[in-house]
Amino acid sequence: MKHQQSSVYVDLQQYQLHLRRLIPLQGVLNPVLFLHGAIENGRIFYSQSGKGLACYLADHGFIGYCADFAGRGLSQPSLSTGFNQSQHDVITRDIPALIEFVYQQHQQPLTIVAHSWGGVLLAASLSRFPGLIDKVRAKVYFGTKRVISVRSFERKIKIDLLWNRLAPWLGKKYGYIPAKQWRFGADNEPTRFLADTINWIKGAPFADLTDGFDYAAASQQVVWPPSWHFAAVNDTVLGHPLDVQYFIKETAQQDGKYTLLGRAQGFMQDYDHISMLTHPCAKQDHFAQLKQWLNELAE
């Protein structure tokens, strides 16, 4: 492992956001902020043993900041204390604060890497606060979709039954979504946040569920920084390639790169929603391509 890890916190008064900072041992390059998706935390990008995209990039000179959204991971307080949060809070408060924090640390634009729902929140935040875009060098999305349009038995189980019915019931019972305890996620989820995601997943307009801000319209007016969208062949529900492409179109990011990760496309594996970030072969496949792209942008 060619980097060191430590924890830092962004204090937002009512709560503190945890960031796992990965510092290269030699030749620090550009900063990278990592944003996780629903029912997970920043560990999707790193491990203490050196696995994951953030570790890979840190070993090649990119200083990483893997965020835990409020109540998740090592952020404080935990959801079990009664803490709750909406999507509106993440979009209007947390993501801007994280971008500002990393920017202030290095005084240079940062790359933002998002997995799944984290990419939806990122696009919403940047379209709402376009002034932040000057502080963003590039955006990278892995399996990011807003609407789940695919119809299948797997969708009925994972989305219609588990996410749309069981999870809200658990939220009423526990005060938060105990996804980790019930083994359908890597971390727990705030009840209000879950309710917001259900509306968008079902196809409600891309508008803020708290104050009505029209993210779809705002996205059309944004001059986006360079972007790269990854989808996976075996991502059959949570980030189906067709839904990823719909998200790209809805947010006017057609000028960005799009890559489908599968053997037929020349990659070593037919990746899925999680393995696109965790499979050992990813280092030789798209991680290496991403590193080269980021190096080219930095020149």
Side-chain angles (χ1 to χ4, degrees):
M1 197 163 69
K2 300 177 182 178
H3 68 273
Q4 295 178 334
Q5 297 185 19
S6 60
S7 290
V8 295
Y9 290 84
V10 177
D11 188 357
L12 295 181
Q13 297 183 347
Q14 296 96 336
Y15 53 93
Q16 293 76 45
L17 300 178
H18 170 257
L19 287 163
R20 191 65 173 176
R21 181 167 55 190
L22 297 85
I23 303 177
L25 296 180
Q26 294 181 340
V28 175
L29 297 175
N30 305 106
V32 183
L33 172 63
F34 297 86
L35 303 177
H36 64 80
I39 55 173
E40 63 184 26
N41 55 48
R43 291 294 293 272
I44 188 69
F45 296 110
Y46 76 95
S47 70
Q48 293 181 346
S49 63
K51 298 177 182 178
L53 176 58
C55 294
Y56 174 84
L57 291 178
D59 286 343
H60 289 85
F62 293 88
I63 184 167
Y65 294 85
C66 300
D68 291 331
F69 285 133
R72 289 80 141 187
L74 296 178
S75 292
Q76 297 295 329
S78 68
L79 298 178
S80 61
T81 64
F83 177 78
N84 208 345
Q85 191 185 47
S86 67
Q87 278 193 154
H88 176 83
D89 298 327
V90 180
I91 292 167
T92 62
R93 181 178 173 88
D94 295 9
I95 291 179
L98 290 167
I99 292 174
E100 290 287 356
F101 176 83
V102 176
Y103 181 82
Q104 291 301 323
Q105 298 301 303
H106 302 277
Q107 294 297 312
Q108 61 173 298
L110 54 139
T111 295
I112 306 180
V113 177
H115 180 228
S116 194
W117 204 255
V120 178
L121 303 175
L122 172 63
S125 188
L126 292 179
S127 65
R128 184 166 187 144
F129 305 109
L132 289 173
I133 292 178
D134 290 339
K135 298 176 180 179
V136 179
R137 183 185 303 274
K139 301 185 285 84
V140 183
Y141 300 90
F142 284 92
T144 292
K145 52 73 194 61
R146 186 183 73 84
V147 176
I148 296 180
S149 64
V150 62
R151 299 292 173 181
S152 65
F153 179 74
E154 184 182 10
R155 183 237 163 83
K156 289 182 179 180
I157 297 298
K158 290 184 176 180
I159 303 302
D160 298 339
L161 179 61
L162 185 60
W163 195 253
N164 293 350
R165 294 188 180 183
L166 176 61
W169 179 82
L170 291 172
K172 292 180 181 179
K173 178 178 176 63
Y174 290 90
Y176 65 97
I177 315 302
K180 187 175 182 179
Q181 176 183 338
W182 282 65
R183 299 188 177 182
F184 62 87
D187 208 335
N188 302 325
E189 203 69 48
T191 304
R192 291 171 60 197
F193 185 92
L194 170 93
D196 290 345
T197 68
I198 289 174
N199 283 279
W200 280 0
I201 285 172
K202 287 182 176 180
F206 192 20
D208 197 284
L209 295 164
T210 298
D211 65 10
F213 184 90
D214 192 336
Y215 295 114
S219 295
Q220 306 300 314
Q221 307 301 317
V222 171
V223 179
W224 295 108
S227 304
W228 196 343
H229 300 258
F230 289 95
V233 167
N234 280 345
D235 196 347
T236 52
V237 174
L238 300 178
H240 193 285
L242 291 178
D243 290 335
V244 169
Q245 292 178 57
Y246 175 79
F247 171 75
I248 294 171
K249 181 178 181 180
E250 181 180 49
T251 53
Q253 299 187 82
Q254 294 94 324
D255 290 340
K257 292 165 63 70
Y258 170 79
T259 296
L260 183 60
L261 301 172
R263 287 190 174 94
Q265 290 72 33
F267 295 94
M268 299 171 66
Q269 299 291 324
D270 286 333
Y271 294 94
D272 62 26
H273 196 65
I274 300 299
S275 68
M276 64 200 309
L277 286 174
T278 61
H279 198 287
C281 289
K283 292 194 296 184
Q284 288 77 41
D285 268 348
H286 47 292
F287 285 9
Q289 293 183 10
L290 177 58
K291 172 180 67 73
Q292 181 179 350
W293 184 68
L294 293 177
N295 280 328
E296 292 171 354
L297 291 177
E299 292 178 355

